[in-house]
Amino acid sequence: MKIVNVVGARPNFMKVAPIMEAYRRAPELRPMLVHTGQHYDERMSDLFFRELGMPKPDVNLEVGSGSHAKQTADIMVRFEPVMLEHKPDAVLVVGDVNSTIACGMVAVKLGIKLIHVEAGLRSGDRSMPEEINRLLTDSISDLLFCTERSGMENLAREGVSPQRCHMVGNCMVDTLLKNIARARQSDVLKRLELDERSYVVVTLHRPSNVDDPAALARLLDVFEVVQKDFRIVFPVHPRTRQRLGQDGLKQRVDAMGNLMLLEPAGYLDFVRLCEASRLVLTDSGGIQEETTIMRVPCITLRDNTERPVTCEIGTNQLVGNDPQRVLGAYRKVLSGEAGHGSVPPLWDGRAAERIVEIVRRGRF
Ligand code: UD1
């Protein structure tokens, strides 16, 4: 069985890496790797391939950035001839980025089976582009792999046949557990002159936080308070870098002596930075999961999460971007009242193995 595996944006790489590795133990499966080129900067893409030991993509569609419509359409137009040339039996997509739905749609219209890894997650917020990508991809997938129970429940509620849905655990966690010892060898703390637990990590890139200057300004209110207690280590996504340069915001950022803006971090440095931090403030999806595994308190700067298990079982608090609520959650972590948690079921480093085992049975 020939399977095309799709990656496009940064959070896809750590999900597909363990699946590519698991194929090695299933010689009857012939995997191919296609990179859409949605993310293309060295520090958003190639660095991750090297650090995660991923094979070079067989094909790179080199689509680059654009509006949602343009990016999605460009991926579709460039992916279709690759499918016609290689005629795979299945296409495997991960997560919820534009590459996920674009390649998924091309596959099913050509009669190719579609496999979705990280299916069923729902934030309930249709203003998030990722939520639209999740709903659409799941509705056309033949085989759906879930990371948490809420995913299975959402799919059942939406009428997806239970035979197609499998709870397998979390591929991002597979990658984290595999690489944590290597991450501990990183000298990033030394390079940045940081001591363990003496700093807070921040990441921000959601349009709802960074595209609205008022929302971004509210988060700067938070950072102004936190940086009096801790250094803030902030690897900045390219989208956010553009927004922080705006009038009124730049002066405030420059005035914060304890706020360190960094280039996007590589995987190993980032894991090390998070693991040794006092807490993490983020609007990312995956980081809510990674902090849960590392038992680091996480405060999520969003009004909803598609990963509720990180709040129910893990270390996450969901607070939005209102400064008083964020600082309330922050104080709860410092007082020891919040930020504890344990590991969700099946987040054990073997999700990719389970996925490949089910795919090789080929009953879908
Ligand atoms: C995308 C995903 C988001 C994911 C995030 C992780 C969608 C809808 N969104 O958002 O779910 O959490 O990736 O990073 O697919 N840019 C660069 N270099 C790059 C890539 C992007 O400079 O290598 C800049 C460009 O100005 C671009 C902007 O970042 O316009 C946004 O990139 P894009 O891929 O559109 O979305 P992300 O915000 O990265």
Side-chain angles (χ1 to χ4, degrees):
M1 189 195 295
K2 193 190 250 187
I3 303 185
V4 166
N5 300 270
V6 175
V7 291
R10 184 170 58 179
N12 296 159
F13 307 135
M14 40 295 232
K15 293 170 196 166
V16 170
I19 299 176
M20 294 306 287
E21 199 178 310
Y23 286 132
R24 291 199 209 133
R25 290 186 293 276
E28 69 274 37
L29 300 180
R30 284 185 297 137
M32 244 182 90
L33 185 61
V34 173
H35 192 330
T36 65
Q38 176 173 347
H39 284 174
Y40 44 85
D41 283 349
E42 150 73 21
R43 300 189 69 82
M44 299 291 286
S45 179
D46 288 6
L47 177 57
F48 287 79
F49 272 75
R50 286 200 302 279
E51 288 192 333
L52 300 176
M54 281 174 79
K56 228 173 107 47
D58 298 285
V59 178
N60 191 325
L61 306 177
E62 296 181 349
V63 291
S65 304
S67 69
H68 282 274
K70 183 172 180 341
Q71 189 175 59
T72 309
D74 282 350
I75 296 168
M76 290 181 72
V77 168
R78 295 182 192 200
F79 189 61
E80 186 177 50
V82 178
M83 294 303 91
L84 291 172
E85 182 189 341
H86 292 279
K87 298 188 176 41
D89 302 287
V91 166
L92 180 146
V93 295
V94 297
D96 53 18
V97 302
N98 287 343
S99 301
T100 310
I101 179 60
C103 295
M105 219 154 24
V106 168
V108 293
K109 289 198 170 185
L110 291 173
I112 301 167
K113 298 288 183 194
L114 182 61
I115 304 171
H116 186 204
V117 172
E118 206 185 80
L121 296 181
R122 298 289 180 266
S123 67
D125 175 1
R126 290 195 181 198
S127 69
M128 261 180 109
E130 294 82 0
E131 183 75 351
I132 305 301
N133 294 340
R134 292 180 198 117
L135 283 159
L136 296 180
T137 305
D138 286 339
S139 71
I140 56 174
S141 291
D142 297 283
L143 190 53
L144 302 94
F145 292 115
C146 294
T147 52
E148 60 169 271
R149 207 189 55 207
S150 76
M152 296 290 281
E153 291 168 355
N154 293 329
L155 294 173
R157 202 173 34 246
E158 289 167 20
V160 181
S161 152
Q163 278 85 18
R164 297 181 174 197
C165 306
H166 300 267
M167 167 86 179
V168 288
N170 190 323
C171 289
M172 197 170 231
V173 171
D174 293 4
T175 296
L176 180 57
L177 295 177
K178 179 170 176 215
N179 288 290
I180 192 122
R182 278 174 72 214
R184 288 186 185 130
Q185 311 286 311
S186 157
D187 63 356
V188 64
L189 298 193
K190 209 165 123 208
R191 268 186 278 132
L192 298 177
E193 298 179 358
L194 296 166
D195 294 322
E196 290 196 21
R197 314 286 160 225
S198 72
Y199 63 93
V200 163
V201 170
V202 169
T203 83
L204 278 184
H205 73 285
R206 292 270 156 233
S208 55
N209 279 328
V210 304
D211 288 358
D212 171 6
L216 198 47
R218 281 199 292 280
L219 292 171
L220 294 186
D221 293 347
V222 170
F223 302 161
E224 278 163 358
V225 175
V226 172
Q227 62 121 31
K228 292 191 185 131
D229 303 331
F230 293 101
R231 289 180 90 179
I232 299 180
V233 178
F234 185 178
V236 189
H237 185 284
R239 169 196 281 282
T240 312
R241 171 82 62 184
Q242 290 166 7
R243 306 299 190 262
L244 287 174
Q246 296 171 102
D247 276 354
L249 298 178
K250 186 171 184 315
Q251 293 81 338
R252 290 181 65 189
V253 168
D254 291 346
M256 281 188 249
N258 244 348
L259 175 66
M260 303 169 73
L261 298 189
L262 310 178
E263 289 300 306
Y267 183 74
L268 298 172
D269 282 357
F270 188 71
V271 167
R272 177 65 184 140
L273 278 172
C274 285
E275 196 206 13
S277 70
R278 182 65 185 86
L279 62 103
V280 175
L281 291 163
T282 189
D283 61 7
S284 153
I287 296 170
Q288 298 170 48
E289 302 182 331
E290 290 168 331
T291 46
T292 277
I293 290 293
M294 293 187 272
R295 313 272 179 127
V296 170
C298 180
I299 297 175
T300 296
L301 308 167
R302 290 172 43 189
D303 294 324
N304 45 62
T305 179
E306 61 288 338
R307 294 161 160 89
V309 76
T310 60
C311 297
E312 293 154 11
I313 297 184
T315 60
N316 191 17
Q317 297 183 76
L318 186 67
V319 296
N321 61 19
D322 170 65
Q324 290 320 315
R325 283 195 69 197
V326 179
L327 291 170
Y330 167 71
R331 291 195 190 100
K332 272 191 183 173
V333 170
L334 297 192
S335 69
E337 234 186 289
H340 310 287
S342 56
V343 174
L346 296 182
W347 290 19
D348 58 0
R350 299 184 46 209
E353 252 176 65
R354 295 187 189 101
I355 288 171
V356 168
E357 184 49 39
I358 293 167
V359 170
R360 81 198 290 191
R361 283 191 236 136
R363 277 191 237 112
F364 58 93

